[in-house]
């Protein structure tokens, strides 16, 4: 059996099956990054990255399903948050925690979509997380001050 070059070594990263250090592999955002952004900043941010991944691997069906899921989930999340604010004013101060839990549930949905729609045998390397982190933080700060 031929020995793999160090640059082709597959890294076992749990959620990120297929993650490799091969410089010739396609660059995609990791599932871990998508999940973290979804939980911290909301399903919108993780959904955008997941859609970009699906588009890059030419899986339009995965991109469409992720887009519809994200839009529907964000709508449901807003309805739940508004319902709590209007009907349980004493919980309004803790709405951050409710939003955090709902984002975690939404992130789990994105994870399951990726597990079902992403090719199991695809080897990819991690795309830089700097731009998505800065964009998510900037947009979140702007929305905070606008609301």
């Amino acid at each position: 059996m031929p020995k793999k070059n160090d640059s082709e070594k597959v890294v076992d990263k749990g959620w990120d099956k297929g993650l490799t250090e091969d410089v010739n592999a396609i660059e995609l955002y990791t599932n871990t990054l998508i999940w973290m952004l979804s939980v911290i900043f909301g399903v919108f941010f993780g959904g955008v990255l997941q859609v970009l991944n699906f588009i890059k691997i030419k899986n339009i069906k995965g991109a469409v399903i992720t887009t519809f899921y994200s839009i529907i989930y964000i709508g449901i999340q807003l309805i739940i948050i508004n319902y709590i604010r209007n009907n349980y004013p004493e919980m309004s101060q803790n709405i951050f925690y409710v939003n955090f839990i709902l984002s975690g549930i939404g992130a789990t949905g994105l994870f399951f979509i990726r597990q079902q729609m992403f090719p199991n045998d695809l080897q990819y390397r991690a795309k830089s997380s700097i731009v998505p982190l800065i964009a998510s933080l900037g947009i979140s700060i702007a929305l905070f001050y606008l609301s």
Side-chain angles (χ1 to χ4, degrees):
M1 183 173 180
K3 195 173 187 181
K4 281 192 173 183
N5 184 338
D6 284 340
S7 68
E8 297 174 2
K9 187 171 85 174
V10 174
V11 181
D12 183 12
K13 292 279 189 179
W15 281 2
D16 294 308
K17 293 178 175 82
L19 186 61
T20 183
E21 294 173 356
D22 183 0
V23 294
N24 297 317
I26 190 169
E27 256 188 333
L28 299 173
Y29 295 108
T30 64
N31 208 31
T32 304
L33 175 65
I34 291 169
W35 194 84
M36 285 182 357
L37 285 182
S38 296
V39 170
I40 296 169
F41 297 108
V43 172
F44 171 79
F45 298 99
V48 168
L49 297 184
Q50 187 160 300
V51 166
L52 291 173
N53 279 352
F54 279 128
I55 290 171
K56 190 142 189 187
I57 64 170
K58 296 176 177 52
N59 183 337
I60 302 306
K61 183 177 178 184
V64 169
I65 289 172
T66 299
T67 300
F68 281 126
Y69 170 79
S70 297
I71 291 168
I72 291 168
Y73 192 84
I74 291 166
I76 291 170
Q77 186 173 357
L78 289 173
I79 290 168
I80 292 170
I81 295 295
N82 284 332
Y83 178 81
I84 291 171
R85 279 190 178 138
N86 293 334
N87 295 304
Y88 303 97
E90 68 278 0
M91 284 187 66
S92 289
Q93 293 180 346
N94 296 324
I95 207 71
F96 171 80
Y97 301 108
V98 173
N99 201 23
F100 187 74
I101 291 167
L102 291 172
S103 291
I105 294 168
T108 303
L110 286 176
F111 173 76
F112 285 121
I113 291 170
R114 180 173 165 136
Q115 290 299 105
Q116 295 299 314
M117 306 291 301
F118 204 77
N120 291 329
D121 58 345
L122 181 67
Q123 300 295 306
Y124 66 96
R125 61 190 167 110
K127 192 168 185 171
S128 174
S129 60
I130 301 297
V131 172
L133 285 171
I134 291 171
S136 299
L137 189 60
I139 292 169
S140 294
I141 290 170
L143 289 175
F144 177 77
Y145 282 110
L146 291 174
S147 61

